Amino acid sequence: MSNEAEIMEQIKNTASMYVSCWQNSNIIKPAPQKTGIANEHIVLDNNFTECESKYLLFKIKKNKEKLSAGKFNIEELPFEVVFNLPVILTKTLQAQNVNYDHRVFWSWVAELLYIAESGSSNDPVLTDTELTESFFLLTRLELASIGKPPTDEDVFKLNSIIGIIIDYNVREVINNKDILALNFSFPVLERILRHKCRNYVKLDGTIIQQFKIYDKKIYQTGKRINNLKHLMLLYENNVLQGSKSDTAQIINNFKSELGSIFGNNPDVYELIFRWRNDMLHGSKIRQFYHAVVMNLISLLILDSLKPDYEHLREKALKRLQMNPWSGMRLNFFPPDLF
């Protein structure tokens, strides 16, 4: 077994034990079959329980003397392992809605994209300033917090002071950032997909090469595509099909993981498309499903980062040395949550 395969197996097992720990605790009840992520209407965000102390994937960079958790440093993992994290972390959404591991992963992707943005890549996902700035803002929103998880009495007192100082409106925005992130994530996802499908569609949705969906729906040149599900199918069936990239397999694994959460063989693209439409048309706001969309966005960005990943990783590590984790926060990574 290769080193990558061993690490992957360890991470998958740890993630499974993390979910089991939460489901066997008194904190949550497992979601009934086919209903999706547990506790979708309850905020379970960035808590530090016994399950985190035992089964978090990533080490906490600060307060090491107070908190012991995590086995891995994401910046040390091989690309093949990092590329599978959107799938593995989606599984953990069955426990806490969003945990520290998600934010480590998202911040690491943002850090690499920030460095790649100033490079000489020909990939428009990496050079579209409007797109990258939108993803950076989305990541900042995901990382935003007021106070720290109350892991000890000192932090609890500090949070009380912060709660008095911070404007009530700011607190409400941060406390409901999941809804904002969901709203913001869909246009980011759609813009990335249009770049990925640039041989078929322009950024404004205009078709430049005819294609079919399900061998039934024909998109003619000059028409427009505004259907997120069809855009995802175009990417999978026309762009990835026949390519030597392992992205197609990662996408399939991502869909399978969502399928295991949301019931037997659901149409995953239809599921995501329905979340978007429900949100836009006021039917239902599934606020905690933003993490699913964020993981998919990160997967697609990693696909673009892959050719230069090792070079970008080295530059990120040097950047961290110049801007240590204490003091002025210029970096995305690591997230300052504890």
Side-chain angles (χ1 to χ4, degrees):
M1 180 180 289
S2 67
N3 185 50
E4 289 85 356
E6 290 177 358
I7 295 173
M8 189 83 72
E9 193 66 23
Q10 291 177 39
I11 287 179
K12 287 181 178 178
N13 289 338
T14 302
S16 295
M17 289 187 289
Y18 174 73
V19 173
S20 297
C21 179
W22 269 80
Q23 291 180 340
N24 291 329
S25 69
N26 295 322
I27 304 173
I28 68 169
K29 295 181 180 179
Q33 188 177 11
K34 298 184 181 180
T35 61
I37 298 170
N39 299 291
E40 63 179 88
H41 301 298
I42 303 174
V43 176
L44 292 170
D45 190 328
N46 200 35
N47 294 288
F48 191 87
T49 70
E50 183 180 359
C51 300
E52 276 68 41
S53 67
K54 290 182 178 179
Y55 303 119
L56 273 185
L57 295 176
F58 302 124
K59 296 178 182 178
I60 295 175
K61 301 293 187 182
K62 298 180 68 177
N63 296 329
K64 293 180 180 180
E65 71 281 1
K66 295 182 179 179
L67 297 177
S68 176
K71 300 177 181 179
F72 304 96
N73 291 309
I74 192 171
E75 66 273 23
E76 298 173 358
L77 295 178
F79 175 81
E80 291 75 12
V81 176
V82 175
F83 201 19
N84 278 274
L85 287 175
V87 180
I88 297 169
L89 292 176
T90 295
K91 178 183 182 65
T92 67
L93 293 174
Q94 297 174 88
Q96 195 168 184
N97 302 116
V98 177
N99 68 9
Y100 178 74
D101 287 334
H102 281 91
R103 296 195 167 102
V104 168
F105 172 60
W106 297 334
S107 68
W108 178 240
V109 173
E111 188 78 17
L112 296 176
L113 180 59
Y114 181 84
I115 297 169
E117 183 191 28
S118 60
S120 57
S121 173
N122 293 321
D123 189 326
V125 172
L126 307 182
T127 58
D128 178 352
T129 302
E130 186 174 345
L131 170 61
T132 55
E133 290 300 320
S134 293
F135 179 72
F136 296 152
L137 183 56
L138 178 59
T139 303
R140 294 293 189 198
L141 184 60
E142 294 283 11
L143 299 179
S145 63
I146 295 176
K148 309 290 184 182
T151 52
D152 57 46
E153 186 176 352
D154 290 340
V155 175
F156 182 82
K157 292 178 180 178
L158 178 62
N159 286 346
S160 298
I161 296 172
I162 292 174
I164 296 172
I165 296 174
I166 299 296
D167 178 76
Y168 173 79
N169 296 300
V170 173
R171 280 186 279 131
E172 285 301 293
V173 168
I174 298 302
N175 289 338
N176 292 281
K177 64 182 180 179
D178 307 278
I179 298 175
L180 299 174
L182 180 68
N183 279 266
F184 199 14
S185 64
F186 286 113
V188 173
L189 172 61
E190 190 162 352
R191 192 172 180 93
I192 290 176
L193 285 168
R194 287 180 175 178
H195 276 312
K196 296 287 187 182
C197 301
R198 57 189 173 275
N199 291 332
Y200 295 89
V201 60
K202 294 181 179 179
L203 271 184
D204 65 0
T206 303
I207 307 302
I208 58 177
Q209 183 180 162
Q210 179 178 301
F211 61 90
K212 292 182 180 180
I213 298 296
Y214 294 132
D215 292 327
K216 295 179 181 179
K217 172 69 175 178
I218 300 177
Y219 279 96
Q220 302 281 1
T221 302
K223 301 294 184 180
R224 295 173 70 90
I225 178 171
N226 296 303
N227 187 307
L228 180 59
K229 174 183 175 181
H230 289 178
L231 197 55
M232 288 187 283
L233 287 168
L234 173 63
Y235 176 60
E236 180 178 295
N237 297 331
N238 293 59
V239 178
L240 291 179
Q241 192 175 56
S243 72
K244 297 181 180 180
S245 171
D246 55 355
T247 304
Q249 184 58 55
I250 302 293
I251 291 284
N252 283 331
N253 293 343
F254 183 81
K255 291 166 64 179
S256 296
E257 190 58 58
L258 276 184
S260 68
I261 295 174
F262 289 94
N264 296 324
N265 302 314
D267 184 335
V268 169
Y269 291 156
E270 173 66 26
L271 190 69
I272 295 174
F273 174 70
R274 193 165 66 244
W275 295 348
R276 174 187 177 275
N277 278 13
D278 287 349
M279 185 231 8
L280 287 177
H281 301 296
S283 174
K284 186 175 183 180
I285 300 177
R286 297 173 171 86
Q287 65 187 82
F288 296 116
Y289 294 177
H290 68 95
V292 174
V293 184
M294 188 67 170
N295 283 342
L296 180 55
I297 290 171
S298 299
L299 190 163
L300 296 174
I301 292 175
L302 282 170
D303 173 69
S304 292
L305 293 172
K306 181 179 180 180
D308 296 317
Y309 184 83
E310 283 305 316
H311 175 66
L312 295 170
R313 185 180 73 85
E314 291 176 5
K315 292 188 72 172
L317 294 179
K318 290 180 180 178
R319 180 172 153 84
L320 284 172
Q321 292 173 358
M322 294 184 343
N323 178 31
W325 296 312
S326 59
M328 184 180 296
R329 290 292 301 177
L330 298 176
N331 300 344
F332 291 94
F333 176 85
D336 185 15
L337 302 176
F338 290 95

